Amino acid sequence: MSKGTPHIQPKETKIAKTVLMPGDPLRAKYIADNYLENVEQFNEVRNMFGYTGTYKGKEISVMGSGMGIPSIGIYSYELYNFFDVDTIIRVGSCGALQEDVNVYDVIIAQGASTNSNYVDQYNIPGHFAPLADFDLMVKAKEKADELGATSHVGNVLSSDTFYNADETFNDKWIEMGVLGVEMESAGLYLNAIKAKKKALGIFTVSDHILRDEATTPEERQNSFTQMMEIALEIAE
């Protein structure tokens, strides 16, 4: 295990084999404060907070990833390759792209399409499909059903652009049945696959692209409890 990288400095605090990774470091703090016991902070570099504790006796870490594939690409790469992490479960928010998906529904990302060039580094002679770990995905769906969450399993879009100059940008993704749009999962899945590790993205719908519906920043940070509980319960 590395003593530290330019972005993660755990010092003497252990990082668990499974890491929950929200984009917002304050959501990482919320999870640590409200769900974990015996919590120790392992990272504060660049205010990207990371914590390790226990949940129902299981050792779990939680750490922010920041926004976008370049940011989660750095943190997940280092966790997988330098700190011997086996599993990263992204817990985040997304915008719904389908009429039958509603605000506060849970989306479990089977695959992550993207307009990012992150995959180009691997020099693959074609279009590679970044997929989640199958066993984690099945467990997440089963746990969502058990908790009574309205959940959907399918494709998400990991977009490099939050504000897109092309007003028709979402139309083709909607036509192809993509459930929601976020900004990180494709990079996470690619890093996991390359490192022969596990990854899954679980999202709460925070806003609807086709309807004028949205949650507040405070709700996104503090109230997406079903998504967090699903991730904590399936953590290995």
Side-chain angles (χ1 to χ4, degrees):
M1 179 178 293
S2 173
K3 293 182 188 262
T5 69
H7 312 97
I8 304 174
Q9 293 285 331
K11 298 179 181 176
E12 301 302 319
T13 303
K14 184 178 179 182
I15 301 176
K17 290 289 189 180
T18 295
V19 178
L20 271 57
M21 186 160 268
D24 185 350
L26 291 179
R27 188 178 294 152
K29 185 177 187 303
Y30 177 89
I31 295 171
D33 289 346
N34 290 274
Y35 290 99
L36 302 185
E37 298 179 338
N38 307 311
V39 174
E40 294 184 64
Q41 186 168 0
F42 71 79
N43 195 62
E44 58 183 8
V45 178
R46 296 173 178 260
N47 284 333
M48 196 58 72
F49 305 133
Y51 307 89
T52 298
T54 58
Y55 176 79
K56 296 184 178 180
K58 298 183 294 187
E59 189 174 61
I60 296 174
S61 293
V62 55
M63 181 182 178
S65 73
M67 291 190 292
I69 286 175
S71 187
I72 199 171
I74 291 170
Y75 290 111
S76 62
Y77 183 94
E78 292 182 356
L79 290 170
Y80 283 137
N81 293 284
F82 300 146
F83 296 102
D84 204 27
V85 168
D86 290 333
T87 301
I88 297 176
I89 302 173
R90 169 158 156 63
V91 284
S93 57
C94 72
L97 291 175
Q98 300 297 324
E99 287 288 359
D100 62 344
V101 178
N102 297 302
V103 172
Y104 288 108
D105 284 1
V106 172
I107 291 176
I108 300 165
Q110 179 180 15
S113 298
T114 187
N115 62 343
S116 169
N117 291 327
Y118 194 80
V119 71
D120 289 0
Q121 65 184 299
Y122 305 115
N123 295 313
I124 299 167
H127 298 282
F128 184 82
L131 300 178
D133 180 81
F134 179 80
D135 290 337
L136 277 176
M137 182 184 68
V138 171
K139 289 177 183 176
K141 176 57 177 170
E142 290 174 347
K143 184 56 63 174
D145 292 345
E146 182 181 319
L147 293 173
T150 301
S151 63
H152 312 264
V153 179
N155 207 347
V156 299
L157 168 63
S158 298
S159 177
D160 267 356
T161 48
F162 190 90
Y163 301 105
N164 198 295
D166 181 0
E167 294 182 357
T168 68
F169 173 75
N170 290 315
D171 294 350
K172 290 297 182 181
W173 301 108
I174 293 168
E175 185 179 327
M176 295 302 292
V178 172
L179 297 175
V181 57
E182 50 89 56
M183 300 188 74
E184 289 83 25
S185 294
L188 171 62
Y189 287 8
L190 288 164
N191 278 354
I193 292 164
K194 179 65 173 176
K196 297 180 171 53
K197 302 294 182 78
K198 298 179 180 180
L200 179 67
I202 305 174
F203 306 93
T204 301
V205 176
S206 60
D207 58 286
H208 208 292
I209 305 302
L210 303 179
R211 304 196 290 263
D212 186 20
E213 299 172 3
T215 58
T216 67
E218 291 77 14
E219 289 170 328
R220 289 194 290 274
Q221 182 178 311
N222 299 325
S223 67
F224 291 177
T225 56
Q226 284 185 320
M227 167 186 67
M228 298 173 192
E229 290 167 7
I230 293 166
L232 288 162
E233 291 288 339
I234 68 170
E236 300 172 335

